[in-house]
PDB file of all heavy atoms in Angstrom:
ATOM      1  N   GLY A 186      -6.582  34.066  30.224  1.00  0.00           N
ATOM      2  CA  GLY A 186      -6.872  33.114  29.228  1.00  0.00           C
ATOM      3  C   GLY A 186      -8.324  33.223  28.773  1.00  0.00           C
ATOM      4  O   GLY A 186      -8.692  33.134  27.568  1.00  0.00           O
ATOM      5  N   LEU A 187      -9.225  33.340  29.715  1.00  0.00           N
ATOM      6  CA  LEU A 187     -10.637  33.441  29.425  1.00  0.00           C
ATOM      7  C   LEU A 187     -10.919  34.774  28.652  1.00  0.00           C
ATOM      8  O   LEU A 187     -11.764  34.787  27.721  1.00  0.00           O
ATOM      9  CB  LEU A 187     -11.489  33.454  30.706  1.00  0.00           C
ATOM     10  CG  LEU A 187     -11.500  32.078  31.439  1.00  0.00           C
ATOM     11  CD1 LEU A 187     -12.263  32.233  32.768  1.00  0.00           C
ATOM     12  CD2 LEU A 187     -12.208  31.040  30.563  1.00  0.00           C
ATOM     13  N   VAL A 188     -10.269  35.822  29.100  1.00  0.00           N
ATOM     14  CA  VAL A 188     -10.485  37.087  28.312  1.00  0.00           C
ATOM     15  C   VAL A 188     -10.056  36.976  26.839  1.00  0.00           C
ATOM     16  O   VAL A 188     -10.751  37.368  25.927  1.00  0.00           O
ATOM     17  CB  VAL A 188      -9.731  38.270  29.009  1.00  0.00           C
ATOM     18  CG1 VAL A 188      -9.767  39.515  28.243  1.00  0.00           C
ATOM     19  CG2 VAL A 188     -10.382  38.485  30.393  1.00  0.00           C
ATOM     20  N   VAL A 189      -8.832  36.427  26.661  1.00  0.00           N
ATOM     21  CA  VAL A 189      -8.286  36.265  25.303  1.00  0.00           C
ATOM     22  C   VAL A 189      -9.185  35.341  24.518  1.00  0.00           C
ATOM     23  O   VAL A 189      -9.512  35.596  23.360  1.00  0.00           O
ATOM     24  CB  VAL A 189      -6.838  35.756  25.409  1.00  0.00           C
ATOM     25  CG1 VAL A 189      -6.368  35.353  23.932  1.00  0.00           C
ATOM     26  CG2 VAL A 189      -5.949  36.754  25.929  1.00  0.00           C
ATOM     27  N   PHE A 190      -9.686  34.242  25.158  1.00  0.00           N
ATOM     28  CA  PHE A 190     -10.559  33.275  24.414  1.00  0.00           C
ATOM     29  C   PHE A 190     -11.857  34.055  24.033  1.00  0.00           C
ATOM     30  O   PHE A 190     -12.339  33.797  22.894  1.00  0.00           O
ATOM     31  CB  PHE A 190     -10.902  32.231  25.373  1.00  0.00           C
ATOM     32  CG  PHE A 190     -11.930  31.175  24.744  1.00  0.00           C
ATOM     33  CD1 PHE A 190     -11.506  30.240  23.859  1.00  0.00           C
ATOM     34  CD2 PHE A 190     -13.238  31.213  25.114  1.00  0.00           C
ATOM     35  CE1 PHE A 190     -12.378  29.341  23.303  1.00  0.00           C
ATOM     36  CE2 PHE A 190     -14.164  30.311  24.527  1.00  0.00           C
ATOM     37  CZ  PHE A 190     -13.681  29.349  23.684  1.00  0.00           C
ATOM     38  N   SER A 191     -12.398  34.980  24.886  1.00  0.00           N
ATOM     39  CA  SER A 191     -13.609  35.656  24.521  1.00  0.00           C
ATOM     40  C   SER A 191     -13.379  36.651  23.358  1.00  0.00           C
ATOM     41  O   SER A 191     -14.107  36.778  22.457  1.00  0.00           O
ATOM     42  CB  SER A 191     -14.150  36.317  25.750  1.00  0.00           C
ATOM     43  OG  SER A 191     -14.471  35.467  26.807  1.00  0.00           O
ATOM     44  N   LEU A 192     -12.242  37.355  23.494  1.00  0.00           N
ATOM     45  CA  LEU A 192     -11.877  38.352  22.443  1.00  0.00           C
ATOM     46  C   LEU A 192     -11.639  37.707  21.145  1.00  0.00           C
ATOM     47  O   LEU A 192     -11.805  38.325  20.054  1.00  0.00           O
ATOM     48  CB  LEU A 192     -10.778  39.239  22.895  1.00  0.00           C
ATOM     49  CG  LEU A 192     -11.021  40.221  24.057  1.00  0.00           C
ATOM     50  CD1 LEU A 192      -9.700  40.872  24.414  1.00  0.00           C
ATOM     51  CD2 LEU A 192     -12.057  41.201  23.724  1.00  0.00           C
ATOM     52  N   SER A 193     -11.066  36.469  21.164  1.00  0.00           N
ATOM     53  CA  SER A 193     -10.771  35.772  19.847  1.00  0.00           C
ATOM     54  C   SER A 193     -11.960  35.466  19.016  1.00  0.00           C
ATOM     55  O   SER A 193     -11.771  35.138  17.818  1.00  0.00           O
ATOM     56  CB  SER A 193     -10.002  34.509  20.218  1.00  0.00           C
ATOM     57  OG  SER A 193     -10.840  33.505  20.817  1.00  0.00           O
ATOM     58  N   ARG A 194     -13.123  35.629  19.572  1.00  0.00           N
ATOM     59  CA  ARG A 194     -14.378  35.360  18.825  1.00  0.00           C
ATOM     60  C   ARG A 194     -14.653  36.614  17.852  1.00  0.00           C
ATOM     61  O   ARG A 194     -15.512  36.430  16.955  1.00  0.00           O
ATOM     62  CB  ARG A 194     -15.519  35.106  19.737  1.00  0.00           C
ATOM     63  CG  ARG A 194     -15.303  33.911  20.577  1.00  0.00           C
ATOM     64  CD  ARG A 194     -16.547  33.644  21.534  1.00  0.00           C
ATOM     65  NE  ARG A 194     -17.690  33.304  20.720  1.00  0.00           N
ATOM     66  CZ  ARG A 194     -18.887  33.041  21.202  1.00  0.00           C
ATOM     67  NH1 ARG A 194     -19.080  33.207  22.568  1.00  0.00           N
ATOM     68  NH2 ARG A 194     -19.909  32.763  20.456  1.00  0.00           N
ATOM     69  N   PHE A 195     -13.988  37.707  17.996  1.00  0.00           N
ATOM     70  CA  PHE A 195     -14.221  38.862  17.207  1.00  0.00           C
ATOM     71  C   PHE A 195     -13.134  38.920  16.128  1.00  0.00           C
ATOM     72  O   PHE A 195     -11.964  38.841  16.393  1.00  0.00           O
ATOM     73  CB  PHE A 195     -14.162  40.141  18.058  1.00  0.00           C
ATOM     74  CG  PHE A 195     -15.291  40.212  19.079  1.00  0.00           C
ATOM     75  CD1 PHE A 195     -14.963  39.843  20.374  1.00  0.00           C
ATOM     76  CD2 PHE A 195     -16.489  40.630  18.763  1.00  0.00           C
ATOM     77  CE1 PHE A 195     -15.934  39.854  21.406  1.00  0.00           C
ATOM     78  CE2 PHE A 195     -17.502  40.676  19.750  1.00  0.00           C
ATOM     79  CZ  PHE A 195     -17.245  40.319  21.057  1.00  0.00           C
ATOM     80  N   ALA A 196     -13.600  39.083  14.839  1.00  0.00           N
ATOM     81  CA  ALA A 196     -12.755  39.065  13.735  1.00  0.00           C
ATOM     82  C   ALA A 196     -11.741  40.235  13.803  1.00  0.00           C
ATOM     83  O   ALA A 196     -10.594  40.101  13.409  1.00  0.00           O
ATOM     84  CB  ALA A 196     -13.543  39.163  12.429  1.00  0.00           C
ATOM     85  N   GLY A 197     -12.183  41.418  14.280  1.00  0.00           N
ATOM     86  CA  GLY A 197     -11.278  42.542  14.409  1.00  0.00           C
ATOM     87  C   GLY A 197     -10.104  42.301  15.338  1.00  0.00           C
ATOM     88  O   GLY A 197      -8.992  42.630  14.967  1.00  0.00           O
ATOM     89  N   PHE A 198     -10.407  41.667  16.436  1.00  0.00           N
ATOM     90  CA  PHE A 198      -9.321  41.355  17.390  1.00  0.00           C
ATOM     91  C   PHE A 198      -8.343  40.357  16.701  1.00  0.00           C
ATOM     92  O   PHE A 198      -7.095  40.549  16.935  1.00  0.00           O
ATOM     93  CB  PHE A 198      -9.949  40.794  18.674  1.00  0.00           C
ATOM     94  CG  PHE A 198      -8.929  40.386  19.697  1.00  0.00           C
ATOM     95  CD1 PHE A 198      -8.273  41.240  20.477  1.00  0.00           C
ATOM     96  CD2 PHE A 198      -8.604  39.006  19.801  1.00  0.00           C
ATOM     97  CE1 PHE A 198      -7.345  40.813  21.473  1.00  0.00           C
ATOM     98  CE2 PHE A 198      -7.684  38.615  20.739  1.00  0.00           C
ATOM     99  CZ  PHE A 198      -7.016  39.526  21.516  1.00  0.00           C
ATOM    100  N   ARG A 199      -8.801  39.351  16.056  1.00  0.00           N
ATOM    101  CA  ARG A 199      -7.958  38.373  15.484  1.00  0.00           C
ATOM    102  C   ARG A 199      -7.076  38.987  14.432  1.00  0.00           C
ATOM    103  O   ARG A 199      -5.921  38.732  14.260  1.00  0.00           O
ATOM    104  CB  ARG A 199      -8.807  37.228  14.844  1.00  0.00           C
ATOM    105  CG  ARG A 199      -9.608  36.371  15.872  1.00  0.00           C
ATOM    106  CD  ARG A 199      -9.987  35.053  15.327  1.00  0.00           C
ATOM    107  NE  ARG A 199     -10.737  35.223  14.079  1.00  0.00           N
ATOM    108  CZ  ARG A 199     -12.103  35.316  14.112  1.00  0.00           C
ATOM    109  NH1 ARG A 199     -12.766  35.396  15.202  1.00  0.00           N
ATOM    110  NH2 ARG A 199     -12.749  35.476  12.951  1.00  0.00           N
TER     111      ARG A 199
END
Side-chain angles (χ1 to χ4, degrees):
L187 290 175
V188 171
V189 172
F190 178 80
S191 301
L192 291 175
S193 67
R194 302 181 64 183
F195 297 97
F198 176 80
R199 296 197 304 271

